[in-house]
Amino acid sequence: MRLPRANGGTIAWRRNPARRVPIPTAHSLRPMNANLTVGTLLSGIEIAGTLAFALSGFIEAARKRMDIVGASAVTFFAAFGGGTLRDLLLDRRPFFWVLHSGYVWAVLALVAIGWLWMRAARPLLPAWPMLWADALGMGLFSASGTGMAWETGQPAIVCALMGVVTGVFGGVMRDVLCNEVPAVFSDHRPYALCSFAGAWAFLAVAFANGPGWPALAAGIAVTAGLRLLALARGWTVPGLGRSAR
């Protein structure tokens, strides 16, 4: 069954005895670029974001002195948490890391190489490498999440929120597994706000000049740039009231 859309496209309905799920057809999708598919545009960004968040997870696990099993779990959830939640909300199957199993092997290789290096060098890791990797991963995943929501024809506010969810949830999973209050909730330096601003930067360029590499680059630069500036300059978001003594 096909229903008309306001923009002239159609929505195909999958027959399901339990529920009906709308599936955007080729006519209802908004292509990122007339000559390139979304996979071509976003796969590189997705790989880079996965590795950046994986690195942030491994560094934090190493700072917490976890064993290799704990470090692998933290790295895996940091790398794949945001993208998995994005795929759930956008009803994308299979999940991106199931479809591209090489991502899993790349993360496992990062853990193995990092573990061997840690055992040999025994460095004292400061916090800043994790924070920089986290900022880069958030920028990459925020842009990819916004772009994938755009591809399915979602409204602008949904695209922006999908970028935030994709960009911050991997960090939330990393912090929870490391027994920390997630930075998105406790760090008064702007975190999710940077992702939200980057998502709107993507949308602004996409609406003005069409989606593509310029929009993706704007989203990445604004998100990661704002987060790194917040860390460098000590920008803070006001808290609610005073803590009890």
Side-chain angles (χ1 to χ4, degrees):
M1 177 180 177
R2 295 180 179 271
L3 297 178
R5 287 175 60 101
N7 62 3
T10 60
I11 293 180
W13 289 89
R14 181 191 301 140
R15 295 188 179 277
N16 188 313
R19 64 188 180 100
R20 286 178 168 180
V21 179
I23 306 173
T25 67
H27 297 291
S28 64
L29 295 178
R30 294 180 292 192
M32 293 284 293
N33 186 290
N35 300 316
L36 298 175
T37 65
V38 66
T40 303
L41 284 167
L42 296 178
S43 60
I45 291 176
E46 196 166 66
I47 293 170
T50 298
L51 292 177
F53 264 127
L55 182 61
S56 77
F58 180 80
I59 292 173
E60 189 64 12
R63 294 182 70 238
K64 295 293 183 180
R65 299 184 177 276
M66 293 187 180
D67 60 23
I68 191 168
V69 176
S72 299
V74 174
T75 304
F76 184 91
F77 278 101
F80 300 126
T84 301
L85 183 57
R86 174 203 65 208
D87 289 351
L88 278 170
L89 294 175
L90 291 178
D91 198 21
R92 292 166 54 93
R93 298 293 187 280
F95 296 141
F96 76 106
W97 54 271
V98 177
L99 182 63
H100 304 287
S101 59
Y103 295 0
V104 180
W105 287 109
V107 169
L108 292 177
L110 185 149
V111 172
I113 294 171
W115 184 260
L116 292 173
W117 177 70
M118 291 289 296
R119 296 282 293 178
R122 297 185 179 276
L124 295 176
L125 292 175
W128 68 263
M130 187 277 292
L131 294 174
W132 278 63
D134 179 73
L136 178 59
M138 183 169 63
L140 291 162
F141 264 132
S142 295
S144 72
T146 308
M148 289 185 182
W150 170 279
E151 276 287 314
T152 61
Q154 301 299 327
I157 186 62
V158 175
C159 293
L161 292 176
M162 198 62 63
V164 174
V165 166
T166 310
V168 307
F169 193 69
V172 170
M173 296 298 295
R174 176 199 64 224
D175 293 345
V176 169
L177 291 175
C178 289
N179 199 29
E180 298 282 350
V181 178
V184 67
F185 306 131
S186 62
D187 187 354
H188 291 299
R189 294 170 295 188
Y191 192 84
L193 286 176
C194 301
S195 178
F196 194 61
W200 282 108
F202 170 96
L203 293 169
V205 176
F207 280 118
N209 300 316
W213 287 115
L216 290 168
I220 296 168
V222 170
T223 300
L226 284 177
R227 177 59 178 168
L228 291 175
L229 279 174
L231 293 173
R233 293 181 169 271
W235 293 344
T236 59
V237 177
L240 296 177
R242 299 179 179 176
S243 59
R245 294 186 177 181

